[in-house]
Amino acid sequence: MKILIIGSGGREHAIAWRLAQEGHQIFGAPGNPGIAEIGQLLPTTDYLAAANSIDPDLTVVGPEVPLVAGVVDQFRAAKRKIVGPAQDAAQLEGSKIHSKEFMRRLGIPTARYARVESVEAGITALAEFDHPVVIKADGLAAGKGVIIAKDRAEAEAAVRSLGPRLVIEEFLEGEEVSFIALSDGKNIVPLEATQDHKAVGDGDTGPNTGGMGAYCDGRILPKADAQHVLDTVIGPVVEATRFTGFLYAGLMMTTNGPKVLEFNVRLGDPETQPLMHRLDSPFGEVLLASATGNLAGVSLRWKSEPSVCVVLAAAGYPGQVRTGDVITGIHTCGTQVFQAGTKQGPKGLETAGGRVLGVTASGADLAKASANAYAAIEKIHFDGMHYRHDIAAKGLKRWGPATIRTIAP
Ligand code: AMP
Ligand code: GLY
């Protein structure tokens, strides 16, 4: 098939890499230098015009912004096959207030919350919550619109910096799991669960990011738990919204069962990078089945080897990012490196965004997959490069070996 991939990050490079391996012809709009190595770029954000110029068999949307803006409705009106949710359903990610009220209506388990529309109301509502308390900006914020405030002063500052439209919610304790399923509006195909690492620093310290690394291992969510999430979370959403495309439930596995932290209406990034590394089914066919209402009876196979993706971030991320640092080593480091914030400059490949690369590796077990990713990183360089040293460490702690590989920063 001729497949158009919308987006320009590590997720889109991973999708392109996987589909190219299956023999599909890849186009990226606007794409990135990694996708350019395996396909053709259409340097535009007028996605329908891009599709009209190449007439693809299928279009896959990576990021949330075009989904929330209605790209799927636009493509469908033009009779083009596309993987993603309609604009209505995409509001589950576009507005945290909408998402929380939707969950309340459907009885989907989530943290207790207050919605406020002014800073004053936000400050007043803080009295209803213990510390830490979680403050969330209503709209899209690339993973950076959430502050976990440990005391009243931090909470008030967060309300002022993220307001006026906010969700304030109770802090949930537990392990976080990213659970993603593909739907065609009726049938649901779960992907294997992954675990992301949202905070910038080792040991979950520092501010939140879009995700500093993720791993995929069949043991993250036992089968019974996955079924429970399908029954109580994914199923009700698909039924209520006729959801098509990838529905991502960010879960906190609490002692009272899984609770939804957020919905995304797309594949996760970096989660997609280890997922594509492990997927053992023909992805192109499954995507086409989602776009054409043919997912009945489809299930996905996964390789037995776990996979790990460590994000290499640019100086300053997740704050003000420095760009233009020259990147070396990615083609000789011994594993697959997905490109995100990169561009071709006069001196070769340069940094061009916060999350620059996703170094992704598999291994006979999680420890080996992780060791392979970190060994490859030793061979990659750009000035200001920083990354977490404990990606997959939680899984390693749960399932062994006893010693977790951590490298002193
Ligand atoms: P969100 O964009 O809503 O998923 O929030 C980003 C991150 O903030 C999540 O991945 C969690 O790490 C953290 N977080 C969000 N909500 C809560 C909560 N209620 N309790 C604890 N941590 C949370
Ligand atoms: N890694 C989290 C996300 O894609 O939103």
Side-chain angles (χ1 to χ4, degrees):
M1 282 189 284
K2 200 191 264 188
I3 305 183
L4 173 62
I5 299 166
I6 293 178
S8 60
R11 165 183 48 214
E12 290 76 24
H13 186 192
I15 295 169
W17 171 80
R18 172 70 218 197
L19 293 172
Q21 283 183 337
E22 293 170 13
H24 299 294
Q25 189 185 357
I26 304 300
F27 292 85
N32 68 33
I35 299 171
E37 290 175 9
I38 49 181
Q40 189 185 318
L41 301 191
L42 302 160
T44 175
T45 51
D46 183 343
Y47 303 119
L48 190 57
N52 288 338
S53 74
I54 55 160
D55 195 22
D57 300 296
L58 184 65
T59 298
V60 187
V61 189
E64 60 276 20
V65 171
L67 292 169
V68 171
V71 72
V72 168
D73 311 62
Q74 204 192 6
F75 269 57
R76 286 188 183 145
K79 303 254 174 301
R80 294 208 169 275
K81 295 190 194 87
I82 185 161
V83 182
Q87 187 171 27
D88 274 11
Q91 297 314 313
L92 273 181
E93 177 164 0
S95 163
K96 298 244 188 229
I97 291 177
H98 167 75
S99 165
K100 293 294 284 193
E101 309 231 304
F102 176 89
M103 285 191 260
R104 175 138 72 188
R105 271 202 313 279
L106 267 67
I108 293 174
T110 189
R112 181 174 68 84
Y113 72 101
R115 67 170 279 187
V116 300
E117 314 229 355
S118 73
V119 167
E120 297 70 42
I123 305 281
T124 308
L126 287 176
E128 300 164 32
F129 296 89
D130 296 330
H131 297 114
V133 59
V134 184
I135 322 287
K136 301 184 174 184
D138 180 50
L140 293 177
K144 292 178 245 167
V146 175
I147 294 175
I148 298 169
K150 69 171 182 319
D151 56 31
R152 174 79 191 199
E154 274 188 25
E156 286 193 16
V159 166
R160 288 182 211 287
S161 73
L162 298 179
R165 286 174 63 81
L166 296 168
V167 166
I168 299 176
E169 66 179 37
E170 69 175 322
F171 178 79
L172 297 176
E173 270 177 274
E175 288 250 352
E176 257 187 274
V177 170
S178 305
F179 188 83
I180 305 173
L182 179 62
S183 181
D184 60 3
K186 205 162 91 191
N187 306 289
I188 298 169
V189 178
L191 276 61
E192 199 121 278
T194 47
Q195 193 159 42
D196 188 13
H197 301 65
K198 294 276 167 69
V200 70
D202 289 357
D204 292 332
T205 53
N208 266 340
T209 69
M212 292 297 289
Y215 66 101
C216 181
D217 178 302
R219 295 170 294 183
I220 290 175
L221 205 58
K223 266 210 163 56
D225 289 358
Q227 191 57 51
H228 177 76
V229 175
L230 285 170
D231 294 343
T232 59
V233 177
I234 307 289
V237 175
V238 168
E239 194 172 323
T241 63
R242 299 268 153 248
F243 193 95
T244 51
F246 291 98
L247 178 62
Y248 168 132
L251 302 172
M252 190 67 92
M253 306 304 288
T254 75
T255 48
N256 295 320
K259 296 198 179 182
V260 177
L261 295 176
E262 64 162 345
F263 283 118
N264 295 322
V265 298
R266 50 167 176 82
L267 282 163
D269 198 0
E271 288 92 329
T272 304
Q273 302 180 49
L275 279 167
M276 291 297 110
H277 227 251
R278 262 199 90 196
L279 183 66
D280 200 22
S281 297
F283 195 47
E285 278 175 33
V286 176
L287 291 173
L288 183 65
S290 156
T292 54
N294 289 312
L295 278 179
V298 173
S299 63
L300 298 173
R301 289 185 313 275
W302 302 90
K303 293 175 193 146
S304 59
E305 294 203 330
S307 51
V308 174
C309 167
V310 181
V311 168
L312 306 184
Y317 182 76
Q320 183 74 36
V321 166
R322 187 177 78 209
T323 59
D325 290 310
V326 174
I327 302 166
T328 57
I330 63 172
H331 291 113
T332 50
C333 68
T335 194
Q336 179 59 40
V337 179
F338 295 118
Q339 298 189 32
T342 63
K343 69 167 191 285
Q344 289 296 349
K347 292 191 218 127
L349 198 64
E350 290 179 359
T351 62
R355 294 188 292 172
V356 179
L357 303 168
V359 180
T360 309
S362 299
D365 56 28
L366 190 58
K368 293 201 180 77
S370 163
N372 289 341
Y374 282 109
I377 289 171
E378 309 272 318
K379 300 184 182 136
I380 298 174
H381 177 80
F382 54 87
D383 283 347
M385 167 173 126
H386 64 99
Y387 58 92
R388 279 185 60 160
H389 305 81
D390 60 352
I391 303 301
K394 278 190 191 158
L396 289 173
K397 195 166 157 194
R398 245 176 306 153
W399 308 311
T403 46
I404 299 163
R405 179 189 159 90
T406 48
I407 307 162

